[in-house]
Structure formats: C-alpha cells, structure tokens
Amino acid sequence: MSELRELYQEVILDHNKRPRNYGPLEPFNHKADGHNPLCGDNVTVYLEVEDGIVKDLAFEGRGCAISVASASMMTELVKGKPVADAERLFDSFHHLCTDDAAAAPPDGLEDEMDSLQVLSGVREFPMRVKCATLAWHTMHAALHGEREVSTE
C-alpha cells in the first residue's frame, strides 16, 4: 500500500473515531435529516447562519467510517465560511467524488479541497459515493430550507 493511501486511511479512521463537531447544536436556525437507504447511514446537520456566514455547524447520526469522516471534515471546513463558499465546496466535493476528470478547485478554497482529496477514492466505488456525500447533501438541503434528503 502506498504511503499516500495509508495516510488517507489514517485521516478517515481518525475522523471516524473522533468526529469533530459531533452532537446537537444550540442554537441553530437550519437543520435537515439525511438518509442513505442503501446502507442505513443517517445524519442530522445543524447550522447557525448569521449575516450570510455559517457561524457554527454540527452533525449527529450513525453511519460507516466514510460517512462519519466526511461529515466531520465538512464541519471543520465549512464553519466560519460564507454560505456561498459552503455551496461552492458542496459542488466541488460532489464533483471530486463523481468525476474522474480533475477540476480546478474554486478560487480561495484550494486548501479545503486539498484536504478533501482523502475521500476522492470513493469514486471507484459508486455505492460509497453516497456515503461520502450524504452529510454534504444534508447541509445543502438545510441551507435551502429542506428538512429531509435521501441519497436514493
């Protein structure tokens, strides 16, 4: 196994074992529940958005290591960002997980996209793409006033 692949696995296992920003958030003004019926992953994403900035966000739920690690990383990368940047990260992450062609990261978000590369291997396993993107779709739904999203 290459050193880079081992590092990626260590990062994913660390976020799964010690998820950041895990648990309910108080106060929050956006919330959505996400479900992946194919594997049973469930996630709730809470956001506190003020003046167009994601002041805080958290998640809770249960799922596989990929799902939990992705949610944990998402909360670290989106917290403190303008909503527009959160949406650009959502779009770019979805592209990273589903498209083999390398796309340039959005301007000003290169570091964030670099750290998400650890999850890019899921595109080789289409069933895992839904695990990796569940929390992101749930955040996107919450920002748009939707209460529930499914990867079905």
Side-chain angles (χ1 to χ4, degrees):
M1 183 181 295
S2 74
E3 286 183 33
L4 187 59
R5 193 175 188 105
E6 286 181 27
L7 173 65
Y8 285 1
Q9 282 193 339
E10 286 178 27
V11 170
I12 290 169
L13 291 174
D14 179 55
H15 275 274
N16 179 53
K17 199 180 256 184
R18 295 180 296 123
R20 282 59 155 187
N21 304 301
Y22 187 85
L25 178 68
E26 286 293 336
F28 66 89
N29 53 19
H30 296 268
K31 175 188 168 198
D33 297 312
H35 311 282
N36 181 351
L38 294 176
C39 68
D41 292 348
N42 291 303
V43 66
T44 300
V45 174
Y46 306 89
L47 298 104
E48 178 65 21
V49 177
E50 188 178 308
D51 299 326
I53 305 290
V54 179
K55 296 285 187 188
D56 204 0
L57 76 158
F59 77 101
E60 62 182 348
R62 58 182 169 75
C64 66
I66 297 290
S67 178
V68 173
S70 182
S72 174
M73 295 175 74
M74 177 189 77
T75 63
E76 286 191 316
L77 296 174
V78 171
K79 189 182 287 189
K81 296 261 187 306
V83 170
D85 283 355
E87 294 285 12
R88 291 188 316 147
L89 280 170
F90 165 73
D91 288 338
S92 295
F93 181 65
H94 192 266
H95 182 74
L96 175 76
C97 291
T98 58
D99 194 345
D100 288 335
D107 287 342
L109 298 173
E110 294 86 357
D111 291 344
E112 289 82 352
M113 290 307 298
D114 271 354
S115 50
L116 290 170
Q117 286 292 324
V118 299
L119 295 166
S120 66
V122 299
R123 70 176 159 245
E124 296 174 30
F125 309 97
M127 296 292 286
R128 305 303 280 183
V129 169
K130 293 182 179 190
C131 300
T133 60
L134 177 62
W136 293 81
H137 282 286
T138 307
M139 174 193 70
H140 179 75
L143 287 171
H144 290 271
E146 299 169 31
R147 294 184 180 265
E148 199 167 307
V149 66
S150 173
T151 59
E152 189 172 14

